[in-house]
Structures are given as structure tokens and as C-alpha cells.
Amino acid sequence: MSGTMPRDPYEVLGVSRDADETAIKKAFRKLARELHPDVNAHDPDAEEKFKEAAEAYEILNDPERRATYDRYGHEGLRSGGMGPDFSSFGSMSDLFEAFFGGMGFGAGTAARHGPRAGGDIAMSAEITLEQAAAGDELELSFEAIETCERCHGNGAEPGTPIETCERCGGAGMLQAVTRSPFGQIVRSVTCDVCGGEGKVPKEPCERCDGRGREVRRRSLRVDVPAGIADGQRIRLGGRGHAGEAGGPPGDLYVLVHVLEHDRFMREGDDLVTVVDVPAPRAALGTTIPFERLDGAEIELEIPAGSQPGDTVQVRGAGMPSLQRRGRTGDLHAVVNVQIPRRLDKQQRKLLEELADSVRPEQLDMDESLVGRLRRLLK
């Protein structure tokens, strides 16, 4: 594997150093089945893992290569030009066909002739926190592969016949011989004329050039559920690319990005905000007008003696729960006590009198901190 030191082929296949040819082949086939594309469609490392297993198999299955590796390791194989090379294979499917043939893992011509599902479409959409809270309907525009309206998907100009492919004789597959470092390999490949269908239109459709499908721009209205969070996806079944040979369409996935808000931060179903409270009001207690995320005006009750960082909770004023219908999170207003920077003479006198009259236990401070406060006010 490129860029890293190759692993021990015995370790890759999980066999002992005295394993015979049968054990090596059995271990490789078991590992190859685990790495098959049908099983690992969403594993980006599956191809590299299979190549690593194939390289290990080619070393241990060849007596000369195996003996060289046992004596000199990978360096001996490289210096002697005996290292496996799979660069001639275009994809992992080609590699599987090379080792096991077109029908080795159930991927034969029947599957190529049958209906094939269309691909999925992924796109993203940005919404505000207000839209996430209330729910909304978005108008999306995107390109998708659709069944050709002129030929209805068969690829032939209307009124013209569809004929058996002359190149593959209707099989949809061709036998190809590939030369590799470990000999000639006969493998099945898709016919380059009919694309595996076994049939071709005598006169290709003028609109889609015989492909049976075309790219068209599509507009769609998507319902955004109330309570959706940043990074969540909305799936719309059957709204993806059109299938082939009568196969079902794929799905549409909309990745939702919720924009940051200038006043509120979301934590689960709760909302967190900061409210500024003048120091005297924080000491005395007060009510301040506050606008919720939904625009409703409420009065926030600030308890007497509120300290910086204290939180005022308003139940049911957060985000609706997407998982639990009918449940709504809470609003947490963090108190930011504002200390005046400039005082007139009367205000300074009042604060000095307050500082002289307040006892340590009232401020939840020790005597030394009270003394420092008095010195700062002088």
C-alpha cells in the first residue's frame, strides 16, 4: 500500500508461516468476500484493503515469491522485480472479476440486464435558527437525471426497433484477456457497445443520443420539520436520479445547515442567551423586557442578589423537540452584571455609603475583599 510499509502477508491473510496452498487460498477467499463491494459499499477503504489482501495472496500463493519473501522480506521482492502490481486494473470490480470471474460473487450478466436503481442526490440548504424552531418550507432547485421524455427510456427514436447487439451477441458481456505479473487472466467485462444491455437501438433517440436518460433541472418544495438541528439530513424517497431498465429512482438527501444566531445559542433542545443587568438592579432584583426567539415579548424575573453567570430559566421557551413530539426545551438566560465605568459625584457617594454598610456575609466575600472594594471606590 502506497506511502506506508507493507504489512506481513501472513498477518494480512491471518495464516501461519507453515500454511499450505489450500489454507492460503481459503483464507484469501474468506477475506475477499468480507471486502466485496456489495457488503462494503460505504467503506472508502475497502478497495485498499482488498488490494492489500490480493498482494499478500499473490506473494504466498507463488512458491518462488513466497520463498523470496521468507528469506529477504518485501525488499527482496522489490529488488527482484517480483512484487505484485495491480495498476492495470481500473476498479475493485475488475480485481474481483480477475480473481473470481464475473459470476464469482453473484455479479453476473443477469444483474446487468435487470432493472437498476437510480443514484441518490445529496445537496445542502441553509436555514436560520428561527426557521429551525418554527419549521418551514424551502424551494430547492437542482439537476437530476430523468427518463427521456421522447423515447421513454429505451434509447430508440420513436417508431424504430431495438436490435440485438452484434458485438456481444446479446450477452451484454465480453471475454477479455489481461496480462498481469502473475500470468494471463481471462475475465468478463461489460460490452462497450451496448453497456451490458445486450440490445441497442437501430436509430438512437435524437434527444438523449440513445442513453434513455437526460439531465434536467428540477424544482422541489421541501418541508423542514420544527426542531431540526444543524447537520441533520432530510430524506425524500424516490426524488433522486431516475433508474435504468425500469429500476426505481434514487433518493434525495438534503443536509441542513442552521446559521449562527446573534443572540441565541442552541444546546440540544434548549436555548442559551445573555441578558445585561445593571449592578444595582442585580442587587435589588428587577424585571426586564425580553424578546424570545419566536418574537414574543416576556418579562424576565431577575432575583435580588443575582451574580455574574447566574442563570434565569424560562420553561418551554426553547426549541421544539424533533424526537419527542409536543416537548419543548427551555430558555436559559445568563446574567451579565454591568458595572458602571463612570460615576458622577452623587453616584460615587451612594456607592461609598453602600460599600461601608454592606457586611461580608451579604456579599459572600471575606473581609479582605470588602476592604479592597472600599479602596477601589476611594
Side-chain angles (χ1 to χ4, degrees):
M1 300 178 66
S2 60
T4 60
M5 180 67 68
R7 293 171 61 201
D8 178 11
Y10 293 101
E11 177 186 347
V12 172
L13 296 184
V15 297
S16 62
R17 290 192 169 271
D18 59 354
D20 59 16
E21 182 180 348
T22 302
I24 292 172
K25 184 174 295 186
K26 181 179 179 181
F28 173 61
R29 291 187 68 89
K30 179 177 180 296
L31 186 60
R33 282 188 169 85
E34 295 174 357
L35 298 172
H36 189 268
D38 292 345
V39 181
N40 294 274
H42 302 293
D43 184 0
D45 298 325
E47 182 172 350
E48 286 300 316
K49 291 176 182 177
F50 177 76
K51 286 182 178 179
E52 181 184 46
E55 289 173 0
Y57 174 72
E58 285 307 306
I59 292 171
L60 301 185
N61 192 52
D62 185 297
E64 186 178 356
R65 283 198 183 100
R66 183 175 180 179
T68 301
Y69 175 79
D70 288 342
R71 293 186 65 184
Y72 306 109
H74 285 287
E75 187 61 36
L77 293 173
R78 282 193 295 268
S79 61
M82 303 172 67
D85 180 13
F86 301 111
S87 60
S88 61
F89 295 94
S91 66
M92 186 159 68
S93 296
D94 291 341
L95 277 170
F96 270 93
E97 288 182 358
F99 278 100
F100 304 109
M103 299 294 291
F105 284 82
T109 57
R112 298 180 187 272
H113 284 303
R116 294 185 292 279
D120 295 334
I121 298 175
M123 61 182 306
S124 60
E126 290 185 344
I127 63 173
T128 63
L129 187 60
E130 287 87 349
Q131 288 175 300
D136 203 352
E137 188 178 59
L138 303 180
E139 180 78 30
L140 301 180
S141 179
F142 54 95
E143 290 187 339
I145 298 174
E146 304 275 9
T147 301
C148 177
E149 294 180 340
R150 181 174 177 81
C151 67
H152 303 290
N154 65 14
E157 187 67 14
T160 62
I162 298 177
E163 302 175 332
T164 300
C165 177
E166 294 182 358
R167 180 166 174 78
C168 65
M173 305 291 289
L174 298 172
Q175 297 295 314
V177 178
T178 303
R179 295 186 61 84
S180 73
F182 43 91
Q184 290 186 343
I185 298 177
V186 179
R187 58 194 179 115
S188 296
V189 296
T190 303
C191 177
D192 56 348
V193 173
C194 66
E197 296 295 333
K199 295 181 180 181
V200 293
K202 184 175 182 179
E203 186 177 340
C205 173
E206 293 180 357
R207 181 163 177 169
C208 66
D209 294 326
R211 290 187 294 270
R213 302 192 299 170
E214 58 182 342
V215 177
R216 292 203 298 268
R217 179 156 288 278
R218 185 193 300 171
S219 294
L220 187 68
R221 300 190 72 85
V222 177
D223 290 324
V224 177
I228 194 166
D230 182 67
Q232 289 186 318
R233 297 191 305 172
I234 301 173
R235 174 182 173 271
L236 288 89
R239 296 290 189 171
H241 295 303
E244 296 183 73
D251 299 331
L252 171 65
Y253 291 90
V254 181
L255 179 64
V256 176
H257 293 293
V258 181
L259 299 174
E260 291 186 2
H261 199 277
D262 58 350
R263 292 178 55 224
F264 296 95
M265 182 177 67
R266 182 174 182 172
E267 290 186 357
D269 293 333
D270 294 338
L271 289 175
V272 180
T273 190
V274 176
V275 291
D276 295 328
V277 182
R281 295 296 180 188
L284 297 171
T286 187
T287 59
I288 58 175
F290 181 83
E291 183 180 341
R292 299 187 349 175
L293 179 64
D294 59 7
E297 293 285 347
I298 61 173
E299 294 287 332
L300 277 183
E301 297 286 342
I302 307 298
S306 292
Q307 302 295 310
D310 284 356
T311 301
V312 177
Q313 183 177 6
V314 181
R315 295 194 177 276
M319 298 289 291
S321 176
L322 190 63
Q323 305 297 330
R324 297 177 293 177
R325 297 285 183 179
R327 295 288 299 276
T328 305
D330 301 329
L331 170 67
H332 300 273
V334 181
V335 175
N336 177 38
V337 178
Q338 293 180 307
I339 307 297
R341 293 181 179 275
R342 297 177 182 176
L343 302 172
D344 59 28
K345 291 183 179 180
Q346 183 180 6
Q347 291 170 335
R348 186 179 184 86
K349 182 179 179 181
L350 290 172
L351 278 177
E352 287 175 347
E353 292 176 358
L354 175 64
D356 289 335
S357 64
V358 171
R359 297 187 301 276
E361 60 271 17
Q362 291 177 292
L363 292 173
D364 197 20
M365 299 179 182
D366 58 27
E367 189 65 42
S368 62
L369 290 177
V370 176
R372 286 171 58 192
L373 175 60
R374 286 172 174 160
R375 287 193 298 272
L376 288 172
L377 290 172
K378 289 181 180 180

